[in-house]
Amino acid sequence: MKTVMLDNNWQMQIAGESEWVPARVPGSVYADLIACDRLEDPYWRDNEIKALEIIDNDFIYRCDFAAPDKRCADRILLRFECLDTLAEVSLNGKAVGTAENMNRIYEFGVTELLEEENRLEILFRSSLKYIKEEQQKVRAVGCVDAMDGFAHIRKAHSMFGWDWGPMIPDAGIHRPVSLLYINGARISGLYVRQRHEEGSVTLYPEVELDCVAGQEADYCLDMILHEPDGSRSVYENLPCKNAVREIEVASPRLWWPRGYGEQPLYRLEAVLKREGEEIQRLSQRIGLRKIGIQRRKDEYGESFAHEVNGIAVFAMGADYIPQDNIFGRITPERSRKLLENCAEANFNIIRVWGGGYYPEDDFLDACDELGLMVWQDFMFACAVYELTDAFEENITAEFIDNIKRIRNHACLALWCGNNEMEMFVAGGGWGNSPKQMSDYFKMYEYILPKLLKKYDPDTFYWPASPSSGGGFDNPNDENRGDVHYWDVWHGGKPITEFRKFYFRYASEFGFQSLPGIRTVESFTLPKDRNIFSYVMEKHQRNCNANGKIMFYLQQEFRCPRSFEATLYASQLLQAEAIRSAAEHFRRYRGRCMGAVYWQLNDIWPGASWSSVDYYGRWKALHYYARRFFAPVLLSCEEESMMTQERNINAEAHSFRKSVRFNVSNETRQTQKAEVRWQVRRNDGHILRQETEYLEVPALTASFLPKWELPELDPFTEYVSYGLYLEGKWVSGGSVLFIMPKYFEFLEPKLEWSLNGDEITVSSDVFAKSVEISNENDDFILSDNFFDLHGDKRTVKILSGEPEGIKVRSVYDI
């Protein structure tokens, strides 16, 4: 089979206009309009409004190309890997076909239409007009922060707005376009199943052949297994039809999630032949692993944990949303960098949220290589859907395309039916009709499981997130399945509320912050730089949430001295909130087996729950995640004013002060731990110090005895702590017993020095959450937002230029 890419000579036109402008494919309408200066940056101030107006048009893409001689093939297919969304395709002036789902692969026969010189045209109809018309016929209600009717179209829901993204529904050709020259038959699917036994792995490659019925016997296969060390095994002349193919892997090297082992990858080639002649060669990369979900009844309810190669893994990661509202800007390089940032922060999982799109192969390839498991939602979120015959046919094709494309990836940990729909549909949260409730069961508890049983029976399926297993059976039960917990933030509960729960698997919990100053400058004028300005609130899509940031901020910190101090304080607040939750969940490993926070990244520049902002800048949370997701973690379960009565004017106000340390060992080896902790004054001087030793078995968490500290002065004294393995510091922190706004911080007199790629920061006294930044605010360091105790810390520069270096701490708020 020969593939001809159609990636040159593209033009785009706003339908009804005369002007054609250069276009890039893969790309998008917005990206092309921006490139030719027909559209100002949609992310600048409130330019979103202009961008929304222009996308109400129809658009035409065209490409002139010369085709190879069609006599060299029996049939020729025109293949589109992503048409967004309502498209009418014509070749040389004749209709070829239509598309209505950006999540599908479309192939059209063009053998008879193809000429030596050709013109391909695609007309994209307005998605905005379509959803308005469909919503008038039948109401399908969903997320109130998105455009009304978004659920009627199989297009990334987040394009229509969300509580972290704008209403900028891009369109166009987001993935490659090609011609397939086919001789006789082709391999249309390769599924590599695995059987794991003690010390051995057997592969069972299942090949789907696309050929004329009855001619399967005319073809045979060669299978070539390429091992990670470069050696290979060849299996020749295997029949295509009704054959059981077994490939024994000698001395198999298993794939593990990051932190549990290595990620060796094998490559299986299937070579299709007819009468000894090679027709097609298809390559599939795989990892040898057995992966599923462990669900066992226990004293608390029922466990829910990823099990890989027989080991229960504690999931540590975040929820991924599309990296841009302008899909033409999403590139393999950008995806790789984001995922490497996850690896740097000790993630072992990414949850691909169901309101976006199915990720590209390069995204999944990077997860395979980096050891990042993928929780893969199907693309349904926060809405109800009207299941007609046409809609069922459409989504069934979508499911098959994406199951077949993704199923062999080593990183694939589970399939999930949707985001938050079981929970809200069960409670009538979307105003769903009885039919729509019935449709929910058909889609996620019948159609999807049935298709997965056929196309990917070896991957675990979970009907929704959150869920206790389906059937509207208390979907957000804290003692079964996975949980989305939002009483902290949306419910206004204090940060310490996380500690009251022992969720089996927290797949969503979050807290907002503002981005850094350089990101804010990218979408504002100086006059806009007040968090309650029109532009700052335009870039805050969760209603009144800048006020909510301040609501929480006043509980912890003093009123910031400046706009920049407000940005900094908001990030510390977010980081402390998620740290409080994640460390708590890790302390109770076994009962809780997942801490996946909302959210990893941004779709545009603005306030949100992300730990990495739109431009790839790390917020304080991402550095905190690097620490609280460390393979071996020392954390403190303290009793303080924050965990008890926060009202300083309460009658007979007093509170307990204590520390109880916990070592969480997420490695496969026993760790001999040395825990050192100190009571210090605000000048860093040590008043008391203790050392404790313990042996922590692999994949467990162990508490040390509680220490009561009744004499500690919470206004001027605090506790610092550190974990040492073989004499080396690996984890630690500090704890206050009163809100930071009441603690008597002294001026730390921070100083810094640069030596090559290392920065050393020192303080005269206790300095909390020391941030090191550069002129462009794009440093990525080996550590940041750390505490000093009248000492110094040296960190490595991982990226960013050491120009315009600045340091600050909580004292500067």
Side-chain angles (χ1 to χ4, degrees), residues 282-336:
L282 184 67
S283 182
Q284 179 65 62
R285 198 167 61 165
I286 60 170
L288 305 182
R289 85 290 186 270
K290 186 176 182 181
I291 190 166
I293 290 290
Q294 180 190 97
R295 297 173 68 195
R296 295 175 183 165
K297 300 292 184 183
D298 58 24
E299 60 188 300
Y300 310 111
E302 184 180 70
S303 67
F304 190 90
H306 298 286
E307 187 173 272
V308 184
N309 303 326
I311 287 179
V313 170
F314 190 103
M316 301 184 291
D319 298 284
Y320 167 84
I321 64 172
Q323 295 164 65
D324 214 306
N325 251 97
I326 300 170
F327 270 47
R329 291 176 174 173
I330 300 174
T331 64
E333 295 75 21
R334 194 170 165 192
S335 295
R336 178 81 192 198

Side-chain angles (χ1 to χ4, degrees), residues 260-279:
Y260 296 82
E262 296 180 344
Q263 293 79 44
L265 294 169
Y266 292 70
R267 184 165 60 89
L268 184 65
E269 276 189 297
V271 182
L272 181 64
K273 298 190 301 183
R274 181 175 58 189
E275 297 178 353
E277 179 184 355
E278 180 177 322
I279 303 297

Side-chain angles (χ1 to χ4, degrees), residues 159-360:
M159 288 183 171
F160 295 101
W162 220 260
D163 56 3
W164 35 255
M167 296 175 182
I168 304 180
D170 206 353
I173 309 169
H174 302 325
R175 290 178 180 167
V177 181
S178 59
L179 288 170
L180 307 182
Y181 283 67
I182 301 169
N183 275 309
R186 63 165 172 164
I187 301 170
S188 58
L190 174 61
Y191 181 35
V192 186
R193 303 185 69 178
Q194 304 179 20
R195 186 183 70 209
H196 288 246
E197 297 175 334
E198 188 67 34
S200 71
V201 175
T202 305
L203 303 181
Y204 297 89
E206 297 181 0
V207 174
E208 298 169 42
L209 199 63
D210 174 15
C211 72
V212 176
Q215 293 185 2
E216 295 90 344
D218 296 343
Y219 299 89
C220 66
L221 289 164
D222 288 351
M223 291 283 183
I224 307 166
L225 181 65
H226 299 261
E227 304 214 14
D229 63 3
S231 62
R232 65 179 199 161
S233 303
V234 180
Y235 305 84
E236 294 183 306
N237 299 319
L238 304 173
C240 287
K241 186 177 181 181
N242 299 327
V244 176
R245 289 173 285 273
E246 294 186 13
I247 296 177
E248 298 288 341
V249 183
S251 303
R253 295 178 57 193
L254 299 184
W255 183 95
W256 291 94
R258 190 171 193 85
Y260 296 82
E262 296 180 344
Q263 293 79 44
L265 294 169
Y266 292 70
R267 184 165 60 89
L268 184 65
E269 276 189 297
V271 182
L272 181 64
K273 298 190 301 183
R274 181 175 58 189
E275 297 178 353
E277 179 184 355
E278 180 177 322
I279 303 297
Q280 181 190 5
R281 184 177 293 256
L282 184 67
S283 182
Q284 179 65 62
R285 198 167 61 165
I286 60 170
L288 305 182
R289 85 290 186 270
K290 186 176 182 181
I291 190 166
I293 290 290
Q294 180 190 97
R295 297 173 68 195
R296 295 175 183 165
K297 300 292 184 183
D298 58 24
E299 60 188 300
Y300 310 111
E302 184 180 70
S303 67
F304 190 90
H306 298 286
E307 187 173 272
V308 184
N309 303 326
I311 287 179
V313 170
F314 190 103
M316 301 184 291
D319 298 284
Y320 167 84
I321 64 172
Q323 295 164 65
D324 214 306
N325 251 97
I326 300 170
F327 270 47
R329 291 176 174 173
I330 300 174
T331 64
E333 295 75 21
R334 194 170 165 192
S335 295
R336 178 81 192 198
K337 183 177 180 181
L338 177 64
L339 293 167
E340 287 174 346
N341 288 342
C342 296
E344 288 285 349
N346 294 309
F347 284 30
N348 60 32
I349 193 166
I350 299 293
R351 175 175 171 247
V352 178
W353 170 73
Y357 73 115
Y358 302 93
E360 292 86 355

Side-chain angles (χ1 to χ4, degrees), residues 131 134-135 138-144 146-155 157 162 354-355 379-388 391 395 417-444 472:
I131 64 173
E134 293 301 309
Q135 189 72 331
V138 179
R139 286 200 61 75
V141 182
C143 174
V144 296
M147 300 180 74
D148 195 34
F150 71 86
H152 286 291
I153 190 170
R154 295 309 296 149
K155 177 179 174 70
H157 292 346
W162 220 260
M379 291 301 119
F380 301 90
C382 301
V384 291
Y385 300 84
E386 191 71 15
L387 186 65
T388 63
F391 190 77
I395 60 173
N418 64 77
N419 175 77
E420 292 189 346
M421 287 170 47
E422 182 183 5
M423 177 173 65
F424 286 112
V425 170
W430 304 123
N432 41 279
S433 67
K435 178 186 180 300
Q436 289 168 337
M437 183 173 282
S438 174
D439 289 346
Y440 175 91
F441 277 109
K442 293 175 185 174
M443 289 170 63
Y444 308 109
F472 295 158

Side-chain angles (χ1 to χ4, degrees), residues 679-681 687 711-719 737 743:
V679 176
R680 297 177 182 261
R681 285 200 310 251
L687 302 175
E711 304 302 319
L712 182 144
D713 177 2
F715 293 93
T716 62
E717 295 171 4
Y718 69 101
V719 166
F737 296 85
F743 190 81

Side-chain angles (χ1 to χ4, degrees), residues 57-128:
N57 291 286
D58 296 341
F59 294 85
I60 303 171
Y61 276 77
R62 73 181 183 190
C63 172
D64 293 333
F65 66 94
D69 190 343
K70 63 184 181 182
R71 291 175 295 181
C72 68
D74 297 333
R75 54 186 170 130
I76 303 170
L77 300 179
L78 176 60
R79 177 182 171 94
F80 296 94
E81 296 182 29
C82 181
L83 289 173
D84 179 15
T85 291
L86 305 173
E88 299 170 14
V89 182
S90 64
L91 181 63
N92 299 324
K94 296 181 180 179
V96 169
T98 61
E100 55 185 353
N101 187 333
M102 70 170 283
N103 300 310
R104 285 176 57 183
I105 296 169
Y106 286 92
E107 293 181 343
F108 305 111
V110 294
T111 311
E112 301 303 321
L113 298 178
L114 203 63
E115 300 173 2
E116 289 185 15
E117 298 295 331
N118 301 273
R119 170 162 291 179
L120 173 62
E121 285 196 353
I122 303 105
L123 169 63
F124 289 97
R125 297 291 186 186
S126 168
S127 61
L128 300 186

